[in-house]
Amino acid sequence: DRQQLERECDAAQEDALAEESRFHYLHSLSAVAEATLKRLDDEDAWKRGHGRGLLPNFKCYEELYQNKLAQQTAFADQLRKQRAQIEQTETASTKQRSMYAGLEKVLRAKIEHGDAEAKADLDGATGTELHFGAANVYQLAAM
């Protein structure tokens, strides 16, 4: 008899907890719906000119989001222009790098094959290494 009562109490307590949980869930949904309706009402009032508006620079959410969209569009256009400029200048840099690599190969080949004049030119060459941002430049001194 006692065990039967304990089981009934446990079941009733679980039902009460489930009901309480459902109450809080529905209450939260109701609060979200009320906040959404208030925002819509405020938006309509601001569009009609009633009230202080959303922000000093924006009368309503629509203006705010249109401004943000325009900013992002301008930013995307700016990035596209920068990308195009980089792609144009990159081809010249790539060509210059490949020409330098070819020159270096020729000079190394001359040194390896014992060209005394080329070796003397390289041994006697003095210069300074300069750093311009990400570029390293080696400037040969005049002979």
Side-chain angles (χ1 to χ4, degrees):
D1 191 39
R2 180 176 171 195
Q3 290 177 350
Q4 178 67 24
L5 284 174
E6 285 180 1
R7 282 190 293 247
E8 288 176 10
C9 285
D10 288 342
Q13 187 174 10
E14 286 179 19
D15 288 344
L17 287 173
E19 186 68 26
E20 185 177 0
S21 175
R22 181 154 172 78
F23 168 78
H24 287 294
Y25 173 72
L26 292 174
H27 181 58
S28 296
L29 285 178
S30 173
V32 168
E34 286 175 10
T36 302
L37 285 174
K38 174 148 178 37
R39 191 177 80 187
L40 290 172
D41 290 341
D42 289 345
E43 178 84 1
D44 286 340
W46 294 334
K47 281 183 180 179
R48 288 190 307 259
H50 303 296
R52 61 171 180 79
L54 177 63
L55 294 169
N57 297 336
F58 305 105
K59 181 168 63 171
C60 57
Y61 288 107
E62 182 180 2
E63 287 180 7
L64 173 69
Y65 292 130
Q66 284 176 348
N67 183 33
K68 288 194 177 288
L69 182 63
Q71 285 177 343
Q72 291 299 317
T73 303
F75 184 61
D77 290 342
Q78 180 184 5
L79 288 176
R80 280 190 207 97
K81 287 177 185 176
Q82 285 178 353
R83 180 178 163 201
Q85 183 181 13
I86 289 171
E87 287 174 352
Q88 287 175 352
T89 59
E90 181 183 2
T91 56
S93 299
T94 305
K95 183 178 178 183
Q96 185 179 14
R97 280 193 297 267
S98 66
M99 287 172 49
Y100 179 77
L103 174 66
E104 188 177 23
K105 281 182 187 178
V106 168
L107 290 175
R108 297 249 179 252
K110 280 186 167 187
I111 290 171
E112 287 176 11
H113 289 91
D115 189 343
E117 186 179 325
K119 192 170 189 176
D121 286 346
L122 283 177
D123 288 341
T126 58
T128 56
E129 187 172 339
L130 305 171
H131 301 283
F132 294 104
N136 296 329
V137 177
Y138 189 79
Q139 185 176 13
L140 296 174
M143 293 186 183

